[in-house]
Amino acid sequence: EAGVAQSPRYKIIEKRQSVAFWCNPISGHATLYWYQQILGQGPKLLIQFQNNGVVDDSQLPKDRFSAERLKGVDSTLKIQPAKLEDSAVYLCASSLEPGPPHEQYFGPGTRLTVT
Amino acid sequence: GDSVTQMEGPVTLSEEACLTINCTYTATGYPSLFWYVQYPGEGLQLLLKATKADDKGSNKGFEATYRKETTSFHLEKGSVQVSDSAVYFCALTPDSNYQLIWGAGTKLIIKP
């Protein structure tokens, strides 16, 4: 079974530029998550999709971050414009069902450096 | 609100030593509990889980027991290897919603 795919793996941009990340979840997984992981911290949920609908985006900085999941499969996360504090690893995860025990499968992440 | 607290790292041990990484939680009801591991340069992987009180999760020689009375889920291994060097995250999902709540992670360094 193929895992969660993410691209790119690394990205370096200057502040005020825009960037986009792509995620392809495990086939058949209805729920998709985007997390931000700052060095030395646990992941922070940015947005959760159930199929192509948003379940929770309460911690997404909507003035600069946006995400979509067209057709309920792949997803993209965009930052525009980027700030220095956006430097982090952006993780995508998927799960078969949203309910307990809620096992999530993670991609390798995209390491973003904003200079 | 719900939260997870785990011991600060880094934890440095010699190969074949015994390991315990402490994890305690605050949550109402009966959350599900998890340990995830992040090896250098890789994504997060589920290591083990427990979904109800007194359950023991185990995998790759690691164990953790869901202790409702002490609200703990400590990670243990009897004999660590260099290949166990990684960052370990304790996490929970409340029984009221879908979201993972994470500890800050504990970096484990095993020296040969």
Side-chain angles (χ1 to χ4, degrees):
Chain A
E1 178 182 79
V4 176
Q6 289 188 249
S7 67
R9 292 293 309 274
Y10 305 92
K11 190 73 177 179
I12 301 173
I13 61 172
E14 295 182 352
K15 59 183 178 183
R16 291 187 290 274
Q17 287 186 324
S18 62
V19 64
F21 312 128
W22 173 82
C23 173
N24 181 241
I26 293 173
S27 177
H29 280 197
T31 308
L32 185 147
Y33 314 82
W34 282 103
Y35 290 91
Q36 180 191 61
Q37 186 179 18
I38 293 173
L39 187 65
Q41 299 181 18
K44 168 189 166 185
L45 180 68
L46 293 175
I47 189 167
Q48 177 184 344
F49 291 95
Q50 176 71 13
N51 296 310
N52 61 351
V54 175
V55 174
D56 186 344
D57 63 357
S58 58
Q59 298 194 84
L60 187 74
K62 298 181 185 65
D63 58 333
R64 298 183 301 107
F65 285 65
S66 64
E68 61 182 10
R69 191 182 183 198
L70 300 176
K71 302 180 181 178
V73 181
D74 293 8
S75 178
T76 55
L77 176 70
K78 297 179 181 178
I79 307 175
Q80 181 179 8
K83 293 184 175 181
L84 294 176
E85 59 261 36
D86 297 332
S87 294
V89 176
Y90 290 84
L91 298 167
C92 180
S94 68
S95 63
L96 187 59
E97 296 175 355
H102 192 70
E103 183 170 334
Q104 296 184 22
Y105 297 83
F106 284 81
T110 297
R111 183 176 298 276
L112 174 67
T113 302
V114 182
T115 63
Chain B
D2 299 337
S3 65
V4 175
T5 303
Q6 59 183 108
M7 63 191 291
E8 287 190 26
V11 173
T12 303
L13 297 171
S14 297
E15 204 166 21
E16 298 183 4
C18 293
L19 168 72
T20 299
I21 299 177
N22 291 333
C23 171
T24 57
Y25 67 90
T26 301
T28 55
Y30 295 88
S32 297
L33 302 174
F34 304 85
W35 278 100
Y36 279 83
V37 59
Q38 192 169 34
Y39 297 105
E42 299 184 17
L44 283 159
Q45 303 174 25
L46 179 65
L47 181 59
L48 54 83
K49 65 184 179 186
T51 59
K52 60 183 187 292
D54 300 324
D55 267 3
K56 178 184 285 187
S58 61
N59 187 23
K60 299 183 180 180
F62 290 88
E63 294 182 340
T65 301
Y66 189 143
R67 302 287 188 197
K68 181 72 173 171
E69 64 276 12
T70 55
T71 62
S72 65
F73 193 55
H74 304 322
L75 183 68
E76 299 177 327
K77 187 174 187 182
S79 177
V80 294
Q81 306 301 312
V82 172
S83 58
D84 294 327
S85 297
V87 180
Y88 292 82
F89 290 91
C90 185
L92 68 83
T93 53
D95 58 6
S96 58
N97 65 45
Y98 316 139
Q99 295 180 4
L100 274 169
I101 295 170
W102 298 83
T106 303
K107 184 173 184 177
L108 175 65
I109 301 169
I110 307 299
K111 295 187 174 180

